[in-house]
Amino acid sequence: TTRTPEFLGLDQNANLFPESKTASEVVVGVFDTGVWPESKSFDDSGLGPIPSSWKGLCETGNNFNASNCNRKLIGARFFSKGYVAALGPIDESKESNSPRDDDGHGTHTSTTAAGSVVRDASLLGYAAGTARGMASSARVAVYKVCWEGGCFSSDILKGMDMAIADNVNVMSLSLGGGTSDYYRDNIAIGAFAAMQKGILVSCSAGNAGPSSFSLSNVAPWITTVGAGTLDRDFPALASLGNGLNYSGVSLFKGDSLPDKMVPFIYAGNATIATNGNLCMPGTLIPDKIKGKIVLCDRGVNARVQKGSVVKSAGGVGMVLANAASNGDELVADAHLLPATAVTEKTGNLIKNYLFSESNPTATILFQGTKVGIEPSPVVAAFSSRGPNSITPEILKPDIIAPGVNILAGWAGSVGPTGLAEDTRHVEFNIISGTSMSCPHVSGLAALLKAAHPDWSPGAIRSALMTTAYSQYKTGKLMEDIATGKPSTPFDHGAGHVDPVSALNPGLVYDLTVDDYVDFLCALKYTASEIKLVTRGNFTCDTSKQYSVNNLNYPSFAVSYQTGSGPITEETTTVKHTRTLTNVGLPGTYKVSVTSPGKSVKVTVEPESLSFDKVNQKMSYTVSFTASSMPSNTNLFGRIEWSDDKHIVGSPVAVSW
Amino acid sequence: DGERKITYIVHMSKSEMPVRFNDHTHWYDSSLKSVSDSAEMLYTYNNVAHGYSTRLTKQEAESLEKQPGILGVMPEVIYELH
C-alpha cells in the first residue's frame, strides 16, 4: 500500500520495529482468491532462507507451478473440492484451477499484509508512491479458498487445516457471511484451532454498515477488524452549467470530456424501468443518453457497472450519487468513462439543478491525488457495526484500520474495475472494504509477533487494542462518516490501530485456551458443543461459577438485556474481572474512568496496580451499577490504566 | 427434494473411536458408508476438526447425526469476500 505506512507511523518510526531478519521469520497466511505471483510486491530480493519451521509448499496447477514461489511467497495452495462438488467443474477459461488469482482481491489483501517494498507504484497515476505491505519482510503463504461462485466452508476449513500444519504465524481472512453460534461457525472453529497453536487470526468485520448488529466473525478468539479512511482523497468536481461546482471523487484516467459543458440528464428520466435511476444493465434508453453525462443513484448493482451501463448506452460521463445509507462516504473507482462519485446531499443539490433547468449541462474536472485530508481517520459507512449479536457481552469490532481507497497489488489478468469489458492491465489497484483493513491488522500483528515472539495471540491483540485511539490529536472524538457525528465503540471498537504504541503497550490482557473454554462454559454450551469448537475433552466444573463477564478481554460490553437478568430493582450491578500482565518495566499504574453517563456508576477496585517485574499479573474488578433505561439505549465510556508513560485503554459499552 | 445432495461437514468425537479401528480415517469411512454407499469424502480434517466433508441427502445427514461418535453434521456455508 502507499500512504498507509506513513499514516500509521511505520515509515517515520522504522527504527522501532523489528529487524527485517526477525520479521522475516514470521509467515502470514492469507485465505482469499489466490495470488498473482508476478506482482513486484512478491519480489524476494534481500530475503534470507525460508524459515526452517516452514512445512508448506507451492502447489502446481493451471497457470501456476512451483517456480512461482520464492523466498517471499513461500506457500501457495488451492482448495476447490467443496466448490466443485456444489457447482461442477472449474471452467478453466474463466478461472485457474490452481493458486493463481484471477480476481485481484487475494493479491490485494496478501500484498497489503506483507508485500515487499515497490517504488513508483500507482493506479493510473493515482496514489503514487512507494508501496509496501505492513510487514514488508514477513513471508506470505496463500490459501486459495474463494472462487467465482463464492468461498465454500469445506474448502476454507481445509485451507485452515493445512495452514496450521504448514506453521503459519498469522491468518488473515477477508471474508465472512452470516452469524451463528460458535459451534456452528466454521471460521470460528478453524480460528479456535489456530489460536490453540499460537496463531493470531484476523478477520474482516464485514461491509454491512452502518446498520447495527451487522458484524461477521465475532468469536472472541478472532481479531475482528472494521474500516476507516486515510487522509487521502481523489477529488473530481462536478461542474454544472449554472456555474456551481460540487466536490466528488474519482480514479478515472483516459480521454477527458470535451473542453466545454455537455448535456446532463438524470438516469431516472432516461428509462422506462422503475429502477432505471440505478443504471442497471439494459434499463437506459440510448436515444436519451447519447452524448450526455448521466446522474445515476448508488445501490443494488456495482458502482463500476453503472459506469459501464452508461457508456454502453452512449453516455459520455457519469455522476454517481450516494444513497442515504452511504452518508457522506465517497468511494473512488477507476471507471471506464469520466465519472465522479458525490455524497447524497450533493446528489440532491445536483438533482435540484437537473429538475429545474430545461437544458442542464455539466462537466467533470479531475484533480488527481490529495493527501492531508482532515479529519482522518473517520469510520467508513460500510464498516459493519455492533452490538455483537451472538455474545452481547463481548464488544466487537475489536479495532479499525485503513480500508477506504487502499492501493495494493492486483492480478494482471483483470482490469481495475473487475468488469469483463475492462481490458486494462494494472499492477496496483485501489479498492475499499473491511477486506482491506483486515490485512493491515494481520501485517501489523506479524510485526508485533516478530518483536515479541513469546506473546500469545491474545496478548498481541490486546496490545493493538489498548493502544488504539478514538480521538484526533486535536482532542476531538473520531467521526463516523455515516452520521457525521462522533463514532462509538460499536463502530470503531477500541479505536484506530496505532502500531507504534502497540509495540510497547506496558500491560496486556492475556488470554489462554483455558480462558476461552471457561467462556464456552459460561455460555452454557453442552459438552458436545464445546468439543465441536475445541476438539478436546474439556468439561465444565459444575461447582464453578462461570461468567462471560470475566473473559479477560481488552474491552467491556455491559449488557442489561441478557446474562444480567431482568432489572427487578432500581439499580443493577454487573461485575467484570480482568487481569493485567506487565510486559514493560516495573511501574505503578493508576486507573481513570470516563463514565458512560449519570445513569451508570463505574467503580474500579483496586484503583492502583504496582508491578515489580515483567510478566507479573494483577487483577482488578469493575462494577457497573446502572438504573433501568429504555431498551436499545447505549452509553459509552472508557477505562484507562496509566503509569504516565503508557496508556492502557479499554472502551466501555453499556446497553439495555 | 429428498434426493438432493449437499455438502456437510461431519464432526467426530475422536476419543469415542471404537477400538476395532486402527486409523481414524477408517472410522470416518465406516461411519459414512453406514448411511450412504455412494458418498465419498471430499476432505478429512485433522487440525481444525476431527472429521470430514461429504455430499449427503438430508435424510442421510439426519441418520448420520444419530450415530455414536458424531458431534455434529453441519451443512456447507458459502461465505463472501468483504
Side-chain angles (χ1 to χ4, degrees), chain A residues 154-155 158 161 204 207 531, chain B residues 13 15 43-44 47 76 82:
Chain A
S154 56
D155 294 330
K158 188 61 188 176
D161 202 74
S204 47
N207 300 336
K531 200 167 192 178
Chain B
S13 175
S15 61
Y43 296 113
T44 57
N47 298 304
E76 176 106 273
H82 282 154

Side-chain angles (χ1 to χ4, degrees), chain A residues 79-81 85 151-155 158 161 174-177 183 186 189 193 204 207 435 531-532 535 537, chain B residues 7 9 11 13 15-16 42-50 53 55 71-72 74 76-82:
Chain A
F79 303 88
S80 60
K81 287 182 181 173
C151 318
F152 286 68
S153 56
S154 56
D155 294 330
K158 188 61 188 176
D161 202 74
S174 290
L175 50 88
Y183 63 88
N186 298 288
I189 289 171
S204 47
N207 300 336
S435 272
K531 200 167 192 178
L532 260 168
R535 305 173 325 287
N537 284 319
Chain B
T7 301
I9 296 163
H11 294 261
S13 175
S15 61
E16 292 177 51
L42 297 173
Y43 296 113
T44 57
Y45 304 102
N46 303 311
N47 298 304
V48 293
H50 297 145
S53 47
R55 306 274 293 172
L71 288 172
M74 311 292 186
E76 176 106 273
V77 177
I78 304 173
Y79 293 87
E80 58 183 29
L81 295 164
H82 282 154

Side-chain angles (χ1 to χ4, degrees), chain A residues 285-366:
Chain A
I285 301 168
D287 285 348
K288 293 193 174 184
I289 297 290
K290 197 174 177 190
K292 294 177 184 170
I293 294 175
V294 181
L295 188 144
C296 302
D297 285 319
R298 192 170 160 187
V300 185
N301 60 331
R303 299 181 303 273
V304 288
Q305 190 187 49
K306 294 172 192 285
S308 177
V309 166
V310 170
K311 190 179 183 187
S312 61
V316 296
M318 177 178 73
V319 174
L320 179 59
N322 269 359
S325 61
N326 311 121
D328 287 343
E329 178 171 272
L330 294 176
V331 181
D333 294 300
H335 288 283
L336 291 165
L337 84 173
T340 185
V342 299
T343 65
E344 187 213 11
K345 225 175 288 172
T346 300
N348 288 338
L349 293 170
I350 295 174
K351 282 176 199 169
N352 287 344
Y353 165 72
L354 275 170
F355 301 151
S356 61
E357 190 69 37
S358 52
N359 290 303
T361 58
T363 192
I364 301 170
L365 306 168
F366 299 95

